[in-house]
Amino acid sequence: MGKRGYFFTLDAFIAIGVIMTGVFIVLLLVSSRPFTAQSVLLAQDLANSLVSTKVKDINNPVFSNLTNTGIITNAGLSPLTLFGEFYFRGLSDQKYNSYNSLMVYNLTEGIFPREFNFEIRINNASIYRFNTTALEDAELIVSSKRIISGSIDNTQFWGPYPAEVLVWQ
Amino acid sequence: MAIKKKGIFFTLISLLFVTLIVISFTTQDFVTLKNKVPVTEATVRIANEHVQYLESGYIPQSISESAYLALEALAVRINITQVPFADEDAFSQAFEEVMLYGTYQGQDIDVLNQRRIMTNNTLIYDLARLENLSASFLNLPTTFNYSTPLRAAVFQDNSTGPYSAAVNISLGFKVNASSVVITRSTRFTALLTFDNLTDPNYLLSTNGRVSRTFKAANQTNWNLATTQDFIAKKKYRYLPQSPTFLGRFYTGGLADNSSCCGVESLIDADVIAEVGHTNESYADCAFFGGGCYTSGILYRVTGISNEPSYPFRLDSSRVLETAYNLSDYAIPDPS
């Protein structure tokens, strides 16, 4: 065998190495961009957890305090329905809007990745927004929607309100 | 014939190309389907969640709301006319019309009562509002079936207990999620509590001068102190010899006792101040309606009040341990 054989073999290996490095760099760059699927799942997960969990099952001192002090009158509600009720109460008593912000902040802190931004809207009013990027500058916005309604002590009825969880990056 | 090496090489190359072409086309098909399936899945899931919300959340809630407000509107109507409904059927018919359409004998009940209760709160209005919101917000056009007249029946039985009523109504609806259409026809039974509802009987019997709203008592041990508290807080309690709360809306309703759902309050000094003392048991159904006990013996109960203007008395069935447990304070009333 001539020396040319060695040369071509080595050349092939080097070429493979260059191509793999290129592919690796491209994948690395692509992975840092927002994935639609990831944002969609995040928005759905956040909305689902706000709908399917019950307030009484949430292990959080803010929710416990509000329940113990009688501000939350029905701990069997889901958080999103509770936000809806407090939005309704907040129309006549401003402090319920503060409770809403406090509850959402405490509920999502630590579980919602902070590289994403999110907002919860009820009846087209923002009840809480966490953002490092303005919604107007978002490259990708994902929304999960629900209709919510309820009653206070089964005697005062509210809704139906459109409720929306927006996630963007 | 000898096999040429070039021929083998070209054959293998051509096989490789064909394989690549086949694989690449197969992959594209797979990718196309793979992208479509999650979209369809998501559409069906969202439509299902919406149907679930309608069936277990919104519709029962709307029925409860409109039924609750219909009872309030009917109590106001009774106060204005000072006439109860002729019988249970007349009451049920009026209830259905007010709850569904907000009208009484074809006229807007809020206009008749000069009080806004049913406006934007009837069941039909609630359903229409949901139809609009589903289409505009969720992009899930939803239609309720009104082609057959809706019928709503209000009742109380063992399942409701004395402090609530239930409303039965059959309703069909359709949710259109473009690729999926979900149709349902369901018989809904929604509960409504009487809390804070106006008792028409007080308004009728005091000519509108005393109004009382329903509040259920939660005490289980009865004695002089709890009875005094019960009267002071103007509450209602279950007793099998009493009529139902719904019975307070129509003539003869106070005379029918209900073993499952009888409720009563006790007449307080405010009522006596307005209508004066009568020689009757101070259970409201007896005091106002002359019913709800059979024995003619009345007992003066000492300790409830020392005021001569409020000579509290009860019939024999109510001083017993099974009712208010006031035997120790009861003396037969000679009057």
Side-chain angles (χ1 to χ4, degrees):
Chain A
M1 273 169 53
K3 285 181 183 174
R4 274 204 303 188
Y6 289 113
F7 175 74
F8 286 133
T9 309
L10 281 172
D11 190 44
F13 276 116
I14 289 165
I16 289 168
V18 168
I19 290 166
M20 283 180 71
T21 310
V23 168
F24 179 72
I25 290 167
V26 167
L27 285 177
L28 204 67
L29 289 173
V30 170
S31 65
S32 69
R33 287 182 188 169
F35 282 104
T36 309
Q38 199 176 350
S39 302
V40 169
L41 288 174
L42 205 58
Q44 282 174 355
D45 275 356
L46 185 61
N48 282 340
S49 63
L50 293 177
V51 167
S52 56
T53 317
K54 283 188 166 48
V55 167
K56 64 184 174 190
D57 298 328
I58 297 170
N59 183 19
N60 185 293
V62 168
F63 282 83
S64 304
N65 282 341
L66 290 174
T67 306
N68 294 337
T69 51
I71 293 164
I72 294 176
T73 52
N74 184 359
L77 296 177
S78 70
L80 194 63
T81 311
L82 184 66
F83 301 154
E85 181 185 317
F86 277 28
Y87 164 78
F88 171 73
R89 286 173 182 251
L91 296 174
S92 53
D93 188 348
Q94 192 65 33
K95 69 173 183 280
Y96 283 93
N97 296 327
S98 313
Y99 293 144
N100 258 348
S101 302
L102 189 67
M103 285 192 292
V104 181
Y105 174 78
N106 275 272
L107 194 61
T108 55
E109 191 196 19
I111 60 165
F112 193 85
R114 288 313 194 202
E115 61 266 31
F116 288 91
N117 310 277
F118 78 98
E119 181 174 10
I120 298 175
R121 286 182 184 174
I122 291 174
N123 206 20
N124 298 321
S126 176
I127 66 154
Y128 185 84
R129 177 188 272 203
F130 170 82
N131 66 310
T132 49
T133 306
L135 184 61
E136 297 72 30
D137 301 332
E139 291 179 14
L140 177 74
I141 305 170
V142 179
S143 158
S144 186
K145 296 175 174 180
R146 296 279 197 288
I147 295 175
I148 54 170
S149 55
S151 67
I152 301 166
D153 299 331
N154 292 318
T155 57
Q156 204 178 356
F157 299 87
W158 56 266
Y161 293 141
E164 193 172 11
V165 177
L166 287 166
V167 174
W168 71 93
Q169 199 178 28
Chain B
M1 207 166 85
I3 301 169
K4 289 186 178 174
K5 284 181 184 173
K6 254 192 200 174
I8 294 170
F9 175 73
F10 284 130
T11 307
L12 286 173
I13 289 292
S14 64
L15 281 174
L16 187 65
F17 273 114
V18 169
T19 310
L20 279 173
I21 289 164
V22 169
I23 287 171
S24 64
F25 274 104
T26 311
T27 310
Q28 277 181 3
D29 281 350
F30 172 68
V31 167
T32 310
L33 273 175
K34 195 181 162 191
N35 285 338
K36 275 183 182 171
V37 168
V39 174
T40 312
E41 272 180 2
T43 309
V44 173
R45 184 176 49 75
I46 291 166
N48 267 334
E49 282 174 1
H50 186 56
V51 168
Q52 205 176 2
Y53 165 68
L54 291 179
E55 285 190 316
S56 59
Y58 188 74
I59 296 174
Q61 239 166 46
S62 296
I63 294 171
S64 295
E65 175 191 15
S66 48
Y68 180 88
L69 294 174
L71 288 179
E72 184 66 22
L74 290 175
V76 174
R77 188 80 218 119
I78 288 172
N79 183 33
I80 289 170
T81 59
Q82 284 294 304
V83 179
F85 292 97
D87 52 31
E88 192 174 358
D89 286 345
F91 162 68
S92 300
Q93 204 177 340
F95 169 82
E96 182 183 270
E97 188 185 346
V98 173
M99 176 195 164
L100 295 176
Y101 309 107
T103 58
Y104 175 63
Q105 295 178 338
Q107 290 181 278
D108 188 325
I109 194 161
D110 284 1
V111 173
L112 290 173
N113 286 348
Q114 296 187 319
R115 194 171 144 194
R116 189 186 163 102
I117 296 175
M118 296 309 298
T119 305
N120 298 348
N121 286 314
T122 64
L123 183 63
I124 298 295
Y125 179 88
D126 282 351
L127 297 180
R129 193 158 53 161
L130 200 277
E131 283 180 342
N132 291 335
L133 198 56
S134 301
S136 63
F137 181 65
L138 295 180
N139 200 22
L140 286 174
T142 302
T143 46
F144 292 95
N145 182 12
Y146 307 119
S147 57
T148 51
L150 294 176
R151 303 309 307 264
V154 62
F155 63 94
Q156 286 186 272
D157 61 14
N158 286 325
S159 68
T160 65
Y163 306 141
S164 305
V167 177
N168 274 339
I169 187 162
S170 294
L171 188 62
F173 65 90
K174 188 167 75 175
V175 174
N176 190 339
S178 61
S179 56
V180 185
V181 177
I182 301 174
T183 308
R184 287 279 195 280
S185 184
T186 311
R187 185 173 173 79
F188 292 95
T189 301
L191 276 180
L192 65 118
T193 167
F194 297 135
D195 283 345
N196 297 323
L197 273 179
T198 302
D199 181 344
N201 205 46
Y202 271 84
L203 293 167
L204 259 180
S205 304
T206 64
N207 203 19
R209 293 195 298 275
V210 177
S211 176
R212 183 174 278 201
T213 54
F214 190 93
K215 289 183 197 72
N218 51 13
Q219 61 247 52
T220 49
N221 291 326
W222 288 92
N223 51 45
L224 185 66
T226 54
T227 304
Q228 282 175 318
D229 185 61
F230 176 73
I231 296 169
K233 290 180 177 165
K234 305 174 190 297
K235 291 191 172 181
Y236 291 73
R237 65 164 294 189
Y238 162 75
L239 269 183
Q241 57 265 46
S242 305
T244 62
F245 183 75
L246 295 179
R248 293 162 180 265
F249 285 81
Y250 53 87
T251 306
L254 287 184
D256 294 333
N257 64 331
S258 168
S259 58
C260 76
C261 311
V263 285
E264 69 178 33
S265 62
L266 294 177
I267 298 298
D268 63 5
D270 292 348
V271 175
I272 300 299
E274 287 295 337
V275 300
H277 168 71
T278 57
N279 192 18
E280 200 32 286
S281 173
Y282 274 33
D284 63 1
C285 46
F287 193 86
F288 292 141
C292 74
Y293 73 97
T294 49
S295 167
I297 303 169
L298 286 179
Y299 289 84
R300 175 87 168 81
V301 181
T302 57
I304 295 286
S305 164
N306 295 324
E307 290 292 323
S309 59
Y310 182 51
F312 190 86
R313 63 188 71 194
L314 284 176
D315 53 275
S316 55
S317 68
R318 285 181 169 77
V319 296
L320 296 176
E321 198 178 349
T322 49
Y324 292 96
N325 191 21
L326 298 171
S327 301
D328 292 346
Y329 308 91
I331 47 172
D333 186 0
S335 61

